[in-house]
C-alpha cells in the first residue's frame, strides 16, 4: 500500500484543536441568525421557472377546443405507457380530434417526451406539481382535467420555442 | 424534624426534580431540533402549537402508538431490561446534585438537594458507570451485528473516558476536601470557580462528559452512517423512547455536574454584597444555577451541530494519549497550587 501523506501539516495551534473548534462554533452561531431558506409550503407556494416539468396538460385554444389532432405520437413515445388517445373524426379543419384522451398520473414519469414529440404543440408540461389522489381511478386524468387554456401556458410554449 | 416530615419533604423534592427533569428533557429534544434547523438555515418544527412548543407531546404520543417490535433472536428479558436500566440510571443520578442553597419554608430548613450524602460524587460516578451496562445489554441482547458493534464501542469508550473523568474530578476534590456536592459548591465562593483555577481539568472533564453521554463528536455507539442506529437499532416504540429520554437526561446530569464541580454550582460571585433579603438571594441563586445548566445544555447542542464525528481510533488515542495525561497534569497543578497558596 502506498504511503499516504498529509497534504498540509498542521501547526501547533491547529493540532491542539481548541482554537479551531472555537472558530467552528463561532461560524455555526452566526449561521443561526441568518435568514432561513425554508418555504412554509401550504401557505407559501413554490412557483417554478418555465423550464420546470410539472404534469403534462393539453393546450386549449381560445375558442375552447383542444389543439390535439389525435395523431397518437405522444401515446407511442411515452416510456411509461401512461397516455391513451382515441381518435374521432370531425368536420373542422383539422379533421381529427381526440374523443378520449387520458393520462394515468400514477404512471407518468414527467419525462416530457410527449411534449417533445407532439407535432402540434398540443401537449405541454405545466407548472402544476400538486398531484394527490385518494384512489387509483382518480389518478387517471381525462380531457376535462387535462385541458388548460393556452393563455396560461404561454410561458412554457415560449420556452419551448426558444430552447427545444 | 421527625421521620414523617423528612419523608414527606424528600418525596416532594423528588416529585419536583422529576417533573423538572421530564419537562427539560422533552424541551431539550424540541430545542435540539430547532437549533439543528437554525444552524442549517432551516426553520425546524414550528407547527404544533405556537412555534411548535407542543411538539414534544406530539412526539411522545406518536411513539406510544407505535408497534413494539422485538427481534426473534433477541434475548427478551435483557432486551426489555436495557432501556429500563438506562432510564433508572439517568433519573436517579440527579438525586445528589444540589440546585440551590439551604432555604427556610414554613419554618423548616430545607436543603435544595434530594439526598445530601457525603460521598455524592462517588455515587454519581458509580451510577454513570452502571449506564454502560444499559447500552452493552441493549447491544448484545438485540441479536444484531450493528447493535453489538454499537454496544461494544460504547463500553470501550465509556470505560476509557471514565479514567480521565475520574482524575479530573480528583482535582476538584483536592480543593474542596470533600466528596459532598454541597461542600464542593460552597468551596467555590466568589470567583474561586474550579473552571478558573484549573482550566485544564475543566476541559478534560468537559470532553469526557461529552464522551460519557455519547454525544457528538463522540457518538460512535450510534454512528448512523456505519452502524444504522448503533445499540438501539432493534428498538422501537416506547423502548426506543426510553433510550432517547435517557440520553437527554444524561445530558442534563452532565451539565448539572459540570456546573456543580467547575462553575460554582448555584453561587453567583459577590451576590451577598448587594444586601438583598435572603429569600431573594436564594431565588436568584437557584435561577443562576438553572441558567448555567441551560447554557451548558445549549453548548451540548451547539457542539453537536458543529463538529464532525471522530474516527474510532482517533477517539481512543484522544482518550488515552491526550485526555488521560492532561488530567494527570491537572492533578499535579492543583497540588502545586495548594502547596504554594495554602488554599
Ligand atoms: S411526461 Fe413522459 S411519462 Fe408522462 S405522459 Fe408524457 S411521455 Fe408519458
Ligand atoms: S402528439 Fe400531440 S397531437 Fe398527437 S395525439 Fe399527442 S397531443 Fe395529440
Amino acid at each position: 500500500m502506498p504511503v499516504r501523506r498529509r497534504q498540509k501539516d498542521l501547526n501547533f495551534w491547529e493540532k491542539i484543536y481548541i482554537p479551531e473548534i472555537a472558530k467552528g462554533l463561532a461560524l455555526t452561531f452566526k449561521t443561526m441568525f441568518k435568514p432561513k431558506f425554508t418555504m412554509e409550503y401550504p401557505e407559501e407556494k413554490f412557483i417554478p421557472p418555465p423550464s420546470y416539468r410539472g404534469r403534462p396538460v393539453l393546450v386549449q385554444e381560445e375558442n375552447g377546443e383542444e389543439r390535439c389532432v389525435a395523431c397518437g405520437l405522444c401515446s407511442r413515445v411515452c416510456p411509461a405507457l401512461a397516455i391513451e388517445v382515441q381518435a374521432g373524426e370531425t368536420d373542422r379543419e383539422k379533421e381529427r380530434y381526440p374523443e378520449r384522451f387520458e393520462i394515468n398520473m400514477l404512471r407518468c414519469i414527467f419525462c416530457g417526451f410527449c411534449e417533445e414529440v407532439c407535432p402540434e404543440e398540443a401537449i405541454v408540461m405545466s407548472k402544476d406539481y400538486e398531484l394527490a389522489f385518494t384512489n387509483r381511478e382518480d389518478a387517471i386524468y381525462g380531457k376535462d382535467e387535462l385541458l388548460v387554456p393556452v393563455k396560461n401556458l404561454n410561458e412554457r410554449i415560449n420556452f419551448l420555442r426558444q430552447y427545444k | 424534624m421527625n421521620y414523617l416530615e423528612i419523608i414527606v419533604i424528600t418525596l416532594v423534592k423528588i416529585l419536583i426534580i422529576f417533573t423538572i427533569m421530564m419537562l427539560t428533557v422533552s424541551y431539550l429534544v424540541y430545542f435540539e431540533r430547532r437549533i439543528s434547523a437554525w444552524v442549517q438555515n432551516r426553520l425546524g418544527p414550528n407547527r404544533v402549537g405556537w412555534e411548535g412548543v407542543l411538539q414534544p407531546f406530539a412526539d411522545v404520543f406518536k411513539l406510544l402508538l407505535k408497534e413494539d417490535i422485538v427481534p426473534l433472536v433477541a434475548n427478551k428479558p435483557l432486551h426489555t431490561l436495557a432501556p429500563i436500566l438506562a432510564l433508572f440510571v439517568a433519573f436517579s443520578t440527579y438525586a445528589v446534585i444540589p440546585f440551590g442553597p439551604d432555604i427556610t419554608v414554613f419554618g423548616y430548613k430545607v436543603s435544595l438537594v434530594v439526598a445530601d450524602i457525603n460521598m455524592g460524587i462517588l455515587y454519581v460516578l458509580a451510577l454513570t458507570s452502571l449506564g454502560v451496562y444499559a447500552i452493552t445489554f441493549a447491544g448484545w441482547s438485540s441479536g444484531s451485528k450493528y447493535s453489538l458493534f454499537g454496544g461494544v464501542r460504547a463500553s470501550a469508550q465509556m470505560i476509557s473516558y471514565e479514567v480521565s473523568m475520574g482524575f479530573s474530578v480528583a482535582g476538584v476534590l483536592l480543593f474542596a476536601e470533600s466528596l459532598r456536592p454541597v461542600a464542593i459548591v460552597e468551596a467555590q465562593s466568589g470567583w474561586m470557580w474550579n473552571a478558573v483555577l484549573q482550566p485544564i481539568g475543566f476541559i478534560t472533564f468537559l470532553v469526557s462528559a461529552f464522551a460519557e453521554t455519547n454525544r457528538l463528536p463522540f457518538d460512535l455507539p450510534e454512528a448512523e452512517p456505519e452502524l444504522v442506529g448503533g445499540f438501539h437499532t432493534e428498538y422501537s416504540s416506547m423502548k426506543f423512547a426510553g433510550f432517547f429520554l435517557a440520553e437527554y437526561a444524561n445530558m442534563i446530569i452532565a451539565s448539572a455536574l459540570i456546573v456543580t464541580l467547575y462553575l460554582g454550582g448555584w453561587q453567583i460571585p459577590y451576590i451577598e454584597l448587594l444586601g438583598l433579603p435572603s429569600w431573594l438571594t436564594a431565588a436568584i441563586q437557584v435561577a443562576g444555577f438553572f441558567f448555567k445548566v441551560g447554557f451548558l445544555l445549549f453548548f451540548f447542542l451547539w457542539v453537536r451541530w458543529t463538529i464532525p464525528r471522530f474516527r474510532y481510533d482517533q477517539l481512543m488515542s484522544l482518550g488515552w494519549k491526550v485526555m488521560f495525561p492532561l488530567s494527570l497534569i491537572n492533578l499535579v497543578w492543583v497540588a502545586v497550587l495548594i502547596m504554594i497558596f495554602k488554599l
Side-chain angles (χ1 to χ4, degrees), chain A residues 58 68-75 85 101 114 117-120 122-123:
Chain A
L58 286 176
C68 174
V69 294
C71 68
L73 280 175
C74 53
S75 156
V85 196
F101 198 108
C114 45
V117 81
C118 180
E120 300 289 327
I123 187 166

Side-chain angles (χ1 to χ4, degrees), chain B residues 3 20-21 42 49 71 122 137 148-149 180 187-188 216 243-244 261 266 284 297 300 317 323 342:
Chain B
Y3 280 112
I20 293 179
M21 284 281 276
R42 294 184 288 116
L122 270 188
F137 281 171
L148 184 62
F149 267 125
R180 221 176 113 231
Q188 306 177 56
L216 228 77
F243 279 117
F244 208 66
L261 294 179
W266 69 79
I284 292 176
L297 287 176
F300 265 85
S317 64
M323 287 304 152
K342 307 270 184 297

Side-chain angles (χ1 to χ4, degrees), chain A residues 56 78-80 82-83 103 108-114 125:
Chain A
C78 177
I83 306 181
I103 302 185
C108 177
I109 53 171
F110 306 93
C111 61
F113 284 5
C114 45
M125 309 302 276

Side-chain angles (χ1 to χ4, degrees), chain B residues 267-332:
Chain B
Q267 309 238 32
I268 298 173
Y270 309 119
I271 191 169
E272 54 292 338
L273 298 185
L274 292 175
L276 296 167
S278 67
W279 62 270
L280 192 59
T281 316
I284 292 176
Q285 283 175 329
V286 172
F289 176 78
F290 284 119
F291 175 77
K292 288 178 198 170
V293 173
F295 177 76
L296 272 174
L297 287 176
F298 171 70
F299 185 69
F300 265 85
L301 302 182
W302 183 16
V303 165
R304 163 153 189 198
W305 296 100
T306 304
I307 302 174
R309 179 180 298 126
F310 276 84
R311 224 167 45 215
Y312 191 59
D313 59 323
Q314 290 172 331
L315 173 94
M316 280 300 161
S317 64
L318 182 74
W320 287 105
K321 292 190 194 152
V322 181
M323 287 304 152
F324 180 49
L326 274 183
S327 56
L328 285 180
I329 290 173
N330 176 60
L331 201 58
V332 175

Side-chain angles (χ1 to χ4, degrees), chain B residues 29 50 54 75 81 98 102 105-106 123 127 168 181 183 187 191 215 217 235 242 275 289 296 317 329 339:
Chain B
V29 179
W50 177 79
L54 297 179
N75 182 329
L81 179 68
D102 292 356
V105 189
F106 305 128
Y123 170 86
L127 271 185
S168 326
W191 275 115
R215 291 289 297 182
Y235 281 88
F289 176 78
L296 272 174
S317 64
I329 290 173
M339 279 264 290

Side-chain angles (χ1 to χ4, degrees), chain A residues 90-130:
Chain A
T90 163
D91 297 335
R92 276 170 281 148
E93 195 193 343
K94 63 180 183 182
E95 290 175 6
R96 279 157 63 89
Y97 82 104
E99 258 178 11
R100 210 153 60 86
F101 198 108
E102 285 178 354
I103 302 185
N104 186 340
M105 294 315 297
L106 288 175
R107 303 204 69 145
C108 177
I109 53 171
F110 306 93
C111 61
F113 284 5
C114 45
E115 168 192 66
E116 212 174 303
V117 81
C118 180
E120 300 289 327
E121 239 171 30
I123 187 166
V124 291
M125 309 302 276
S126 65
K127 290 183 177 184
D128 189 2
Y129 51 83
E130 284 171 321

Side-chain angles (χ1 to χ4, degrees), chain B residues 61-334:
Chain B
F61 282 122
K62 187 204 90 175
L63 281 168
L64 273 173
L65 294 174
K66 290 263 171 181
E67 185 191 355
D68 180 24
I69 301 164
V70 182
L72 210 58
V73 286
N75 182 329
K76 287 192 185 60
L78 279 185
H79 192 262
T80 316
L81 179 68
I84 299 175
L85 193 64
L87 270 183
F88 165 74
V89 169
F91 283 109
S92 51
T93 314
Y94 201 89
V96 296
I97 301 175
F99 56 95
D102 292 356
I103 52 168
T104 324
V105 189
F106 305 128
Y108 294 117
K109 199 167 166 331
V110 181
S111 58
L112 291 181
V113 49
V114 172
D116 187 7
I117 50 178
N118 52 13
M119 43 107 214
I121 296 302
L122 270 188
Y123 170 86
V124 171
L125 288 181
L127 271 185
T128 46
S129 347
L130 210 60
V132 186
Y133 282 99
I135 292 179
T136 320
F137 281 171
W140 179 76
S141 69
S142 294
S144 143
K145 54 181 175 267
Y146 298 116
S147 305
L148 184 62
F149 267 125
V152 169
R153 279 189 187 184
S155 43
Q157 171 181 332
M158 286 170 124
I159 290 167
S160 328
Y161 277 85
E162 223 149 65
V163 178
S164 51
M165 196 171 188
F167 275 106
S168 326
V169 174
V172 175
L173 300 183
L174 276 186
F175 267 127
E177 294 173 359
S178 167
L179 278 163
R180 221 176 113 231
V182 179
I184 292 175
V185 172
E186 274 159 4
Q188 306 177 56
S189 54
W191 275 115
M192 296 276 281
W193 289 4
N194 282 323
V196 182
L197 292 176
Q198 30 179 321
I200 299 177
F202 178 57
I203 288 172
T204 51
F205 190 85
L206 194 67
V207 174
S208 314
F210 271 88
E212 285 285 303
T213 47
N214 294 329
R215 291 289 297 182
L216 228 77
F218 303 112
D219 71 336
L220 285 140
E222 41 189 291
E224 292 92 351
E226 3 178 327
L227 293 183
V228 192
F231 62 88
H232 58 55
T233 308
E234 303 294 347
Y235 281 88
S236 53
S237 184
M238 272 326 267
K239 285 187 195 159
F240 170 74
F243 279 117
F244 208 66
L245 290 184
E247 180 184 331
Y248 285 87
N250 278 331
M251 267 165 70
I252 298 177
I253 287 161
S255 311
L257 202 61
I258 293 170
V259 171
T260 308
L261 294 179
Y262 288 95
L263 299 177
W266 69 79
Q267 309 238 32
I268 298 173
Y270 309 119
I271 191 169
E272 54 292 338
L273 298 185
L274 292 175
L276 296 167
S278 67
W279 62 270
L280 192 59
T281 316
I284 292 176
Q285 283 175 329
V286 172
F289 176 78
F290 284 119
F291 175 77
K292 288 178 198 170
V293 173
F295 177 76
L296 272 174
L297 287 176
F298 171 70
F299 185 69
F300 265 85
L301 302 182
W302 183 16
V303 165
R304 163 153 189 198
W305 296 100
T306 304
I307 302 174
R309 179 180 298 126
F310 276 84
R311 224 167 45 215
Y312 191 59
D313 59 323
Q314 290 172 331
L315 173 94
M316 280 300 161
S317 64
L318 182 74
W320 287 105
K321 292 190 194 152
V322 181
M323 287 304 152
F324 180 49
L326 274 183
S327 56
L328 285 180
I329 290 173
N330 176 60
L331 201 58
V332 175
W333 161 254
V334 172

Side-chain angles (χ1 to χ4, degrees), chain A residues 10-73:
Chain A
L10 302 178
N11 66 28
F12 175 75
W13 288 107
E14 285 165 341
K15 261 188 213 150
I16 62 170
Y17 287 133
I18 292 173
E20 299 295 310
I21 287 176
K23 264 192 234 166
L25 287 174
L27 181 74
T28 43
F29 194 76
K30 260 188 274 162
T31 315
M32 265 183 236
F33 302 101
K34 290 217 177 114
K36 314 286 179 251
F37 289 108
T38 313
M39 275 183 181
E40 298 202 61
Y41 163 61
E43 293 98 45
E44 192 186 343
K45 290 208 170 119
F46 167 58
I47 298 170
S51 59
Y52 186 80
R53 295 202 304 263
R55 78 177 171 105
V57 294
L58 286 176
V59 180
Q60 189 180 30
E61 301 283 15
E62 264 100 29
N63 60 11
E65 285 173 21
E66 67 283 309
R67 227 181 234 184
C68 174
V69 294
C71 68
L73 280 175

